[in-house]
Amino acid sequence: MKNANIFISAFFLVLFGAFLSSRAQLPTANYDENRVPEYILPALPTTLKEWENSRSGLIAQFENEVYGRVAEGSFRTEVTITRQRNGVLAGKADLKEIRVQIITSRGELPIDILLLTPLGSTGPMPVILGLNFYGNHSIHRDTAISLSDRWMRRNEDYGIENNKATEASRGVRAYRWAIDKILSRGYALATFYYGDVDPDFHDGFSNGVHPLFYQEGQIAPRPDEWGSVSAWAWGTRRVLDYLQTDPQIHEGKIALFGHSRLGKTALWAGAQDKRFAAVIANNSGCGGAALSRRKFGETVQIINTSFPHWFCTNFKKYNERESQLPVDQHQLIALIAPRPVYITSASEDLWADPKGEFLAAREAGRVYSLYNSTSNPLLEKIPPSHTPVLGPISYHMRSGKHDVTDYDWDRFLDFLDLHFK
Ligand code: GCU
């Protein structure tokens, strides 16, 4: 009996220890400006020639050390228009659904695009390509939009049962997509579910696009090969491949939008692929627009621990060693230059380090100035809430929480009008 008691106590002690150490892995986030470490950012070249010569080396550093390079290997795609309906969304829009099937010698993966255009318009028109979190059907309740049958994160409020969307999932994220505004201002909207490319949970990379590119005997990406963010960015570029062929779309006016983890994705995709004519990264935070070296809010260690599958394995070397990173996120934004980029923060979204997002944008401005020394109005100091600064690098701080609101969309459209019209 006594032995059993000792055994039970020891068992709970071990369990409690495991609990403590799992907690201990995640340091508490710093929200105190006075405790931001002193840091020196990797320098940006001072001439355009130097910058352009360094660009591909910089992309390689982001590939090797942060996001992971796309695995080598050939693939082809098959495009099918799977549905076309006119007069959807209460008569305001025309709808087209397109499946891009990715095919390699190891398997196939479908990416389903929803394209909404203003009723009756033939184009070619500018388009906003935005990744969505809960399936194409989540951005509007209209039943003309196909319901995704892919794996989806549990969310009872969103009608997701057994990791699948149901009819109750329609329109659950409509509040984040100002579709009427977008269409009425003359833009098309294209979207796809990021989970089509790689379901967002850590399964050791056995699902999604990664296994399609494994070499013989390979079971996981190599330390410098793609994590999920890089995979989502790659999928986004495959959607871009399609959009450039769609006669309704102006191939030179394709803007990429992403929020949060998908803002990180948008920046990485935009940095790599010059065909994206503009990039909007909303509340993108750590691994997005925010400077890693500030260690404010979410840090490299925290993100690598909570989301071990997002970045490449090499990125984990920089847990608590941000100063050793060969790059920082201002360089990621600079890689989009001279194409317009919009970095946006929310005042209460401290987890994403609004100030770090602004400072990265400001630093990237140096590279934009190399292309055009007079065109970049970005301020020295972080502007107050609801005071957008629009230019090649644009920035605003919205008051409130981590989210995408109508205020943001109005500004995004102003930004795109400025550059596309
Ligand atoms: C978490 C994560 C962030 C990410 C966010 C999101 O909060 O820590 O890095 O941006 O999820 O994607 O909503």
Side-chain angles (χ1 to χ4, degrees):
M1 190 61 199
K2 200 171 162 208
N3 275 349
N5 275 342
I6 291 173
F7 179 76
I8 290 168
S9 314
F11 176 75
F12 280 107
L13 213 67
V14 168
L15 213 65
F16 186 61
F19 168 75
L20 279 185
S21 75
S22 76
R23 304 265 310 172
Q25 282 171 9
L26 271 194
T28 45
N30 172 44
Y31 293 116
D32 179 356
E33 259 325 305
N34 296 319
R35 287 180 47 216
V36 169
E38 289 206 9
Y39 58 86
I40 300 170
L41 291 179
L44 291 164
T46 50
T47 68
L48 188 55
K49 194 156 174 243
E50 247 185 282
W51 165 251
E52 297 222 304
N53 289 338
S54 67
R55 228 184 145 268
S56 60
L58 189 54
I59 290 188
Q61 285 182 314
F62 276 105
E63 284 179 334
N64 293 337
E65 306 297 323
V66 183
Y67 302 101
R69 68 180 63 255
V70 173
E72 272 167 36
S74 58
F75 69 94
R76 64 188 180 85
T77 52
E78 255 171 39
V79 173
T80 322
I81 311 285
T82 47
R83 180 178 285 196
Q84 239 170 331
R85 301 257 196 285
N86 294 336
V88 302
L89 275 50
K92 289 187 189 127
D94 297 328
L95 164 154
K96 184 149 70 181
E97 291 182 341
I98 307 102
R99 172 164 290 186
V100 175
Q101 187 85 5
I102 311 285
I103 304 163
T104 73
S105 59
R106 303 205 151 251
E108 303 195 3
L109 182 93
I111 305 177
D112 289 327
I113 308 168
L114 167 67
L115 178 63
L116 296 168
T117 49
L119 184 73
S121 60
T122 50
M125 67 189 104
V127 64
I128 302 172
L129 166 58
L131 297 91
N132 68 67
F133 281 84
Y134 284 99
N136 297 341
H137 59 266
S138 70
I139 76 158
H140 196 285
R141 296 181 54 151
D142 196 317
T143 52
I145 301 172
S146 300
L147 193 70
S148 172
D149 61 2
R150 307 292 148 72
W151 178 94
M152 229 150 267
R153 195 154 2 117
R154 277 182 65 148
N155 190 328
E156 275 153 29
D157 294 344
Y158 286 179
I160 295 167
E161 287 169 15
N162 304 317
N163 297 106
K164 297 272 181 200
T166 66
E167 286 297 318
S169 310
R170 293 189 177 279
V172 290
R173 275 292 169 90
Y175 67 94
R176 278 197 176 169
W177 296 86
I179 301 178
D180 285 357
K181 286 179 195 286
I182 295 168
L183 298 179
S184 69
R185 286 180 67 166
Y187 292 84
L189 175 65
T191 189
F192 71 97
Y193 170 49
Y194 79 133
D196 283 4
V197 183
D198 189 23
D200 191 1
F201 64 96
H202 192 33
D203 69 328
F205 299 103
S206 57
N207 64 16
V209 73
H210 298 91
L212 262 57
F213 287 85
Y214 286 160
Q215 309 281 305
E216 210 40 57
Q218 188 179 5
I219 51 160
R222 300 191 172 84
D224 65 346
E225 282 181 347
W226 48 354
S228 295
V229 171
S230 213
W232 300 326
W234 182 86
T236 309
R237 297 171 65 190
R238 304 294 69 84
V239 173
L240 169 70
D241 295 340
Y242 166 74
L243 289 174
Q244 288 206 309
T245 67
D246 189 305
Q248 281 182 290
I249 300 305
H250 190 309
E251 63 169 347
K253 294 185 178 176
I254 301 176
L256 178 58
F257 157 73
H259 165 67
S260 208
R261 70 197 65 180
L262 301 179
K264 309 180 206 299
T265 303
L267 288 171
W268 178 225
Q272 296 172 86
D273 199 323
K274 292 182 177 175
R275 295 175 300 162
F276 289 113
V279 179
I280 302 168
N282 188 64
N283 304 177
S284 59
C286 181
L291 293 174
S292 301
R293 279 170 174 75
R294 278 175 43 82
K295 298 174 72 170
F296 188 100
E298 187 173 35
T299 63
V300 171
Q301 179 177 31
I302 297 177
I303 206 165
N304 277 333
T305 310
S306 328
F307 304 100
H309 57 298
W310 281 5
F311 300 88
C312 70
T313 304
N314 278 344
F315 194 45
K316 300 194 169 77
K317 294 189 297 198
Y318 305 101
N319 288 353
E320 283 297 299
R321 295 175 71 233
E322 287 82 352
S323 61
Q324 306 296 308
L325 265 168
V327 291
D328 212 321
Q329 301 305 106
H330 61 308
Q331 293 164 300
L332 182 69
I333 302 172
L335 283 167
I336 298 168
R339 291 163 293 142
V341 65
Y342 200 168
I343 305 297
T344 55
S345 308
S347 61
E348 292 169 32
D349 185 21
L350 298 183
W351 182 243
D353 187 14
K355 186 170 175 188
E357 294 173 325
F358 170 77
L359 290 174
R362 190 180 80 183
E363 284 305 306
R366 295 179 196 281
V367 169
Y368 278 77
S369 304
L370 299 177
Y371 287 94
N372 186 340
S373 57
T374 54
S375 67
N376 190 37
L378 198 65
L379 306 172
E380 273 306 297
K381 269 181 65 183
I382 191 161
S385 288
H386 294 209
T387 316
V389 185
L390 297 187
I393 298 200
S394 299
Y395 178 85
H396 77 232
M397 170 87 83
R398 171 179 50 74
S399 60
K401 294 193 187 353
H402 189 73
D403 204 353
V404 194
T405 69
D406 276 14
Y407 174 84
D408 297 307
W409 279 109
D410 283 329
R411 302 294 82 75
F412 298 160
L413 293 164
D414 291 346
F415 162 79
L416 293 177
D417 281 356
L418 181 71
H419 296 292
F420 282 178
K421 296 230 160 127

